[in-house]
Amino acid sequence: MKHSILLVEDEKDILDYNKKCLEREGYRVLTARTLRQARDLLKTTFPDLVVLDIMLPDGSGLELCRELAASARIPILFLTSLNESQQIVKSLRAGGDDYITKPYNIDVLLARIEAQLRRMEQFKASDMQTVSPKLRLDSNNQRAYWDGEDLLLNPKEYRLFLTLLHSKNRFLSAEELYSRVWGMNTSADIRTVEVHISRLRAKLKLGRDLSPMTIEYIRGRGYRILITSKE
């Protein structure tokens, strides 16, 4: 048996089809058609990944995403018919890891789920390590600490942070980051990476005017992380 997946989708035909395809691949699948059903399931179960629609009968999937981002460390893949740029950015800023818009190819959905889970396992490979005198990483629990303070990174932000750290000051393009962190190559837009970079930058500031860690961006070269304080 593979990982467990929670599908939150109000359209019964889509829900049944996705469930059938995932079970055929060996996943254990839980389903919910409303926010209330999803919340009830999450009281007693801890899925490895959530596939979440935005428009649900009793509210927005963004609400559930924010709740999970604050209390759990579960990757969230949005599957939505809303293709507006602003809505996609909102879903990522709410804590989503990636998104697919309807209509979609089921093979693409399966590949995205597999990539998310594979990368999650790869980043759990090691225990606590000290990167600098003040920066420590707990790869097993996917947490980062600066001077003992938890940076409160979600799993995708942690993997993005770790990838930038391991680049050893080399610039990485958005496409390269997507390939390394999300586990897939893409020729699509790179809003997913840009939004996660923005969220990561905000958390690295630690509420200070001068951040001890900064993410530098140069057009045509990409991103790199700089630790400006090692005291």
Side-chain angles (χ1 to χ4, degrees):
M1 182 67 70
K2 285 190 176 182
H3 297 84
S4 62
I5 309 293
L6 172 59
L7 301 178
V8 186
E9 168 65 60
D10 66 321
E11 295 186 45
K12 187 177 185 301
D13 290 344
I14 294 177
L15 185 66
D16 291 345
Y17 179 67
N18 288 345
K19 182 176 186 290
K20 179 181 177 181
C21 292
L22 284 166
E23 288 180 337
R24 188 172 59 208
E25 296 296 317
Y27 293 105
R28 183 168 67 89
V29 182
L30 307 168
T31 62
R33 296 182 65 185
T34 65
L35 288 177
R36 181 175 180 178
Q37 290 176 2
R39 288 178 176 127
D40 287 343
L41 278 171
L42 289 165
K43 290 176 183 177
T44 57
T45 60
F46 194 83
D48 297 300
L49 182 142
V50 177
V51 180
L52 180 60
D53 194 5
I54 292 180
M55 297 181 66
L56 295 165
D58 53 344
S60 170
L62 297 178
E63 299 173 27
L64 182 61
C65 180
R66 292 188 185 99
E67 292 167 14
L68 289 173
S71 62
R73 306 185 71 76
I74 306 173
I76 298 172
L77 175 63
F78 277 100
L79 180 62
T80 177
S81 58
L82 299 174
N83 195 25
E84 294 89 349
S85 175
Q86 186 177 10
Q87 191 64 54
I88 289 171
V89 170
K90 283 183 179 179
S91 70
L92 297 172
R93 285 180 174 168
D97 293 279
D98 205 353
Y99 68 92
I100 297 178
T101 55
K102 303 173 185 176
Y104 60 94
N105 184 309
I106 188 62
D107 291 331
V108 172
L109 176 60
L110 293 172
R112 293 283 187 93
I113 289 173
E114 183 180 350
Q116 291 280 346
L117 294 170
R118 183 176 62 249
R119 299 303 288 169
M120 178 180 68
E121 294 299 324
Q122 289 174 350
F123 278 93
K124 287 183 178 179
S126 60
D127 296 321
M128 187 76 76
Q129 56 178 302
T130 300
V131 179
S132 77
K134 288 193 175 184
L135 178 61
R136 294 190 305 148
L137 301 176
D138 178 358
S139 294
N140 189 51
N141 295 302
Q142 299 188 68
R143 292 188 179 276
Y145 300 87
W146 180 267
D147 200 19
E149 180 179 349
D150 192 339
L151 298 180
L152 301 176
L153 306 182
N154 68 31
K156 193 64 66 190
E157 291 163 354
Y158 175 84
R159 292 169 222 156
L160 181 59
F161 182 48
L162 194 63
T163 300
L164 288 167
L165 282 174
H166 287 175
S167 71
K168 301 183 184 301
N169 288 324
R170 186 172 71 86
F171 284 94
L172 298 176
S173 68
E175 291 80 7
E176 190 171 4
L177 284 169
Y178 191 88
S179 175
R180 292 191 185 191
V181 178
W182 280 259
M184 297 187 67
N185 295 319
T186 181
S187 58
D189 67 66
I190 53 171
R191 283 174 291 184
T192 298
V193 175
E194 292 173 347
V195 171
H196 279 82
I197 287 285
S198 176
R199 287 173 54 88
L200 181 56
R201 274 193 175 120
K203 291 184 177 182
L204 295 183
K205 287 188 70 173
L206 297 169
R208 304 173 187 176
D209 293 332
L210 182 60
S211 174
M213 294 173 284
T214 57
I215 298 176
E216 182 183 12
Y217 173 74
I218 296 180
R219 185 182 297 273
R221 299 184 68 184
Y223 301 91
R224 69 174 178 177
I225 196 164
L226 300 173
I227 301 178
T228 57
S229 173
K230 296 187 179 182
E231 297 178 3

